[in-house]
Amino acid sequence: MSYVLSVMDQVKKRNPGEIEFHQAIEEVLLSLEPVIQKHPEFAKAGLLERFCEPDRTIMFRVSWVDDAGAVQVNRGFRVQFNSAIGPYKGGMRFHPSVYLGIVKFLGFEQTLKNSLTGLPIGGGKGGSDFDPKGKSDAEVMRFCQSLMSELYRHIGQDLDVPAGDIGVGAREIGYMFGQYKRLQNAYEAGVLTGKGLSYGGSLARTEATGFGLIYFVREMLAAHGHNYEGKTVVISGSGNVAIYACQKAQSYGAKVVAMSDSNGYIYDKNGINLYTVKRLKEVERKRISEYVKLHPEAEYHEGCSNIWSLKCDIALPCATQNDIDVPQAEMLIKNGVIAIGEGANMPTTNDAIKLFLEKGVLVAPAKAANAGGVATSALEMSQNSMRLSWSFEEVDRKLDGIMVNIFKAAQSAAKEYGAEGNYVDGANIAGFLKVANAMMAQGIV
Ligand code: NDP
C-alpha cells in the first residue's frame, strides 16, 4: 500500500463515522501522490499523518434558556487544525447538522485555503448544532453568550480567530464579540472577524466570499477563452455567499436565472431580481418561495437539488456540502455547462468532480475559489492591528489581487505536477506545499 493510501486508511479508522472528514481527506491526499513522490522526506517525517490530525479538538456543552423558560442544551465545537503558518482562523457554523465530522472537514479544508491566500493564517473551524432558524433575537443572543462563555478561553487575536459561516452572520458575531469583551475585560478587536463596521469590521467583508468567487472564476474562464458576458448562471443557496456572487456575476453581464434555499428553488427567466432576494433573506429572514409573490412571472419549485436540472453555462453551488452528486453532474453536463465555481465548502462530491474533469468541464475548487472571505477577514485583522480602516474600493482591490494570485498559484502547481487545467489538484498541491514546508522547518511537533 502506498504511503498516501495507508494514511487515508488510518484516518478512516481513527475517525469512525466522520464521512465528510474522510471525503475531504481523500480528495486532497489522492492529489498529493506526485508531491510525495518528489519529496520522500515528507513521508519520513510522518508529515501526512500529522497534517491529517488536528492540533486540538474542543467540544463543550452550551446550555441556555429559551423564551418559554425551557432549558435547552446544544453542543459547541472548535477544531484548531493547523497553526504552522499562523494563528488558527476559520468560521463558526450554526446548523442542526453540525457534528465533529463536519467541523473537522471544514477545519482541514480551511488549513489549505488559508495557505492559498498567501496570508499568515492557520486553519480552524467551529460551530454548534444550534439552529438559529425560527429563534427570536433574544434567544440567539442568550445562545451566543453561553457558547462564548466557554469558547473565550480557547481563542484570542494571536491564537484563534473565529468568523461567520452558515447560520452565523453579523448578528451572531456581534453577540459573541460582546460576550468575549465582557469576559476578557479588554477590547481585542482582532479576536473575531465579520464584525459590524462600527466596532472594527472591514468594508467589503460581507461581499468578499461571493465577489472573490466571481473573480476566481473570471480568471479561470479567461484562461480558457471565455468570459461572463451573456452567460446563464445558476446559483444554489441564497445566503451570504450566494447573494454577493449573484451581484458580482450580474455586474459582469451574466444572467443569473435561479437561486435556492433548503426548501426549494426559484427560476426567473428574466434574471433574478437581487433586490428582492436581499430583502427577503437579509432583512425579513423569509423563505425564497416568497419571491414569486413579488415576481409572478418567476417559478418556485420544491426540492433544492433539482436546481441542477436547469440549463446553464456556469453553475455556482453556494449552499452547503455535497450539493452536486453524480446525477446532478450528469444533468449539468448534458445541458452543456462550461464551468463549476464552488462557493460553498465541498459542495461537489469526489465522484462528481471526477466526472466534470473527465468531460472537460472547468472546476474552480472551494478551497481556492471561496478563499476571498477568509482573505478579507485577514485584511480585517490587519486593519484592527493598525487601528485604521481602508475604503471599500481599497479592500475590494486587494481582494481581487489575492484571488488572481490564488488562481495563478493553482494553475502553476497543476502544470508543474502534470495536471495542467486541473485546478482541483493545483489548489491542493499549492496550499499543501506551503504548510508542509513550514511544518518541516518546525520539527516534529
Ligand atoms: P448562509 O447561512 O448565509 O446561507 C446558507 C445558504 O445555504 C442558505 O440559503 C441556506 O438555506 C442554504 N443551506 C444551508 N444548509 C443547507 C442544506 N443542508 N441544504 C440545502 N441548503 C442549505 O451561509 P453562507 O452563505 O455564509 O455559507 C454558504 C457556504 O459557503 C457554506 O458551505 C460555507 O461554509 C461557505 N463559505 C462561507 C464563507 C463566508 O464568508 N460566509 C466563506 C467561505 C465559505 P436555508 O436558509 O433554508 O437554510
Side-chain angles (χ1 to χ4, degrees):
M1 198 188 279
S2 77
Y3 173 53
V4 163
L5 291 180
S6 76
V7 174
M8 261 164 51
D9 204 42
Q10 192 184 16
V11 169
K12 285 180 186 168
K13 284 192 184 127
R14 184 174 273 173
N15 304 277
E18 297 177 1
I19 48 175
E20 296 83 1
F21 184 46
H22 302 170
Q23 181 183 341
I25 294 277
E26 186 172 309
E27 191 252 310
V28 171
L29 291 201
L30 288 180
S31 63
L32 296 181
E33 284 276 15
V35 180
I36 299 299
Q37 273 164 25
K38 196 166 169 184
H39 294 278
E41 71 277 15
F42 287 170
K44 224 171 139 200
L47 194 89
L48 287 184
E49 291 90 326
R50 290 191 283 132
F51 184 64
C52 294
E53 182 67 21
D55 288 358
R56 194 170 300 107
T57 298
I58 301 147
M59 235 165 92
F60 50 98
R61 184 181 66 236
V62 186
S63 316
W64 56 283
V65 180
D66 68 18
D67 287 347
V71 175
Q72 303 286 340
V73 177
N74 286 99
R75 188 172 273 182
F77 302 89
R78 190 73 190 163
V79 172
Q80 298 179 331
F81 217 102
N82 190 300
S83 62
I85 62 169
Y88 309 105
K89 176 93 199 80
M92 295 290 287
R93 175 177 292 192
F94 294 169
H95 193 272
S97 62
V98 168
Y99 78 109
L100 202 50
I102 289 205
V103 187
K104 275 193 203 158
F105 116 64
L106 289 166
F108 176 74
E109 290 277 301
Q110 195 78 43
T111 302
L112 292 159
K113 180 186 313 196
N114 293 0
S115 161
L116 280 168
T117 64
L119 301 166
I121 39 180
K125 200 84 187 189
S128 172
D129 55 4
F130 172 75
D131 187 359
K133 237 179 268 159
K135 305 285 191 303
S136 69
D137 284 354
E139 287 176 322
V140 171
M141 181 181 75
R142 287 195 293 275
F143 170 79
C144 289
Q145 289 177 341
S146 178
L147 177 128
M148 191 49 87
S149 300
E150 172 61 32
L151 188 63
Y152 88 100
R153 68 187 90 245
H154 306 290
I155 62 174
Q157 53 191 0
D158 296 318
L159 169 62
D160 182 357
V161 182
D165 191 77
I166 290 178
V168 180
R171 176 182 60 171
E172 290 75 15
I173 293 289
Y175 293 148
M176 287 194 278
F177 185 69
Q179 183 73 350
Y180 180 84
K181 186 166 62 66
R182 180 161 71 175
L183 293 166
Q184 201 66 9
N185 193 28
Y187 203 100
E188 291 176 20
V191 71
L192 291 170
T193 58
K195 297 181 294 296
L197 291 178
S198 58
Y199 61 97
S202 173
L203 286 161
R205 173 61 187 92
T206 306
E207 293 80 359
T209 308
F211 278 21
L213 168 68
I214 299 303
Y215 296 149
F216 186 97
V217 173
R218 178 195 66 203
E219 295 303 300
M220 183 176 77
L221 291 172
H224 297 266
H226 300 291
N227 62 39
Y228 284 111
E229 193 60 46
K231 297 286 189 302
T232 300
V233 177
V234 166
I235 302 180
S236 68
S238 48
N240 173 261
V241 180
I243 284 175
Y244 293 96
C246 178
Q247 181 170 321
K248 188 52 84 176
Q250 288 178 336
S251 79
Y252 280 134
K255 187 174 177 185
V256 180
V257 294
M259 293 180 83
S260 63
D261 62 21
S262 54
N263 294 107
Y265 70 90
I266 49 165
Y267 171 70
D268 191 336
K269 64 177 186 321
N270 301 322
I272 294 286
N273 183 316
L274 192 59
Y275 174 78
T276 302
V277 175
K278 278 190 183 179
R279 193 154 56 79
L280 286 175
K281 289 295 176 180
E282 293 186 331
V283 184
E284 297 171 4
R285 297 181 190 269
K286 286 190 174 155
R287 308 312 298 158
I288 197 88
S289 54
E290 299 278 321
Y291 181 95
V292 293
K293 289 190 186 152
L294 296 153
H295 302 280
E297 70 288 358
E299 299 164 18
Y300 173 70
H301 298 270
E302 281 289 329
C304 49
S305 71
N306 291 333
I307 197 172
W308 305 120
S309 63
L310 296 170
K311 185 171 167 52
C312 64
D313 303 303
I314 301 167
L316 303 176
C318 296
T320 193
Q321 61 275 356
N322 295 330
D323 191 1
I324 302 181
D325 200 354
V326 170
Q328 291 79 27
E330 281 169 343
M331 287 191 280
L332 284 162
I333 292 165
K334 190 170 119 256
N335 286 330
V337 73
I338 303 168
I340 311 296
E342 295 188 325
N345 283 311
M346 207 167 74
T348 318
T349 65
N350 293 347
D351 288 341
I353 289 184
K354 204 165 149 235
L355 193 60
F356 283 132
L357 295 175
E358 275 166 19
K359 299 290 178 187
V361 177
L362 300 170
V363 179
K367 62 178 75 65
N370 73 21
V374 72
T376 307
S377 277
L379 300 179
E380 183 176 330
M381 290 160 74
S382 305
Q383 293 169 80
N384 294 153
S385 301
M386 292 188 285
R387 297 182 196 275
L388 51 77
S389 317
W390 295 324
S391 68
F392 187 97
E393 290 69 27
E394 190 165 359
V395 179
D396 190 30
R397 202 172 46 247
K398 286 185 164 64
L399 166 66
D400 197 340
I402 289 169
M403 297 315 294
V404 171
N405 286 339
I406 295 176
F407 177 73
K408 285 186 185 149
Q411 188 183 37
S412 68
K415 198 166 172 192
E416 188 184 339
Y417 285 89
E420 196 165 354
N422 179 339
Y423 306 109
V424 179
D425 284 0
N428 287 341
I429 293 168
F432 171 75
L433 279 172
K434 186 173 168 197
V435 179
N437 289 330
M439 288 175 74
M440 290 297 282
Q442 291 168 18
I444 310 295
V445 289

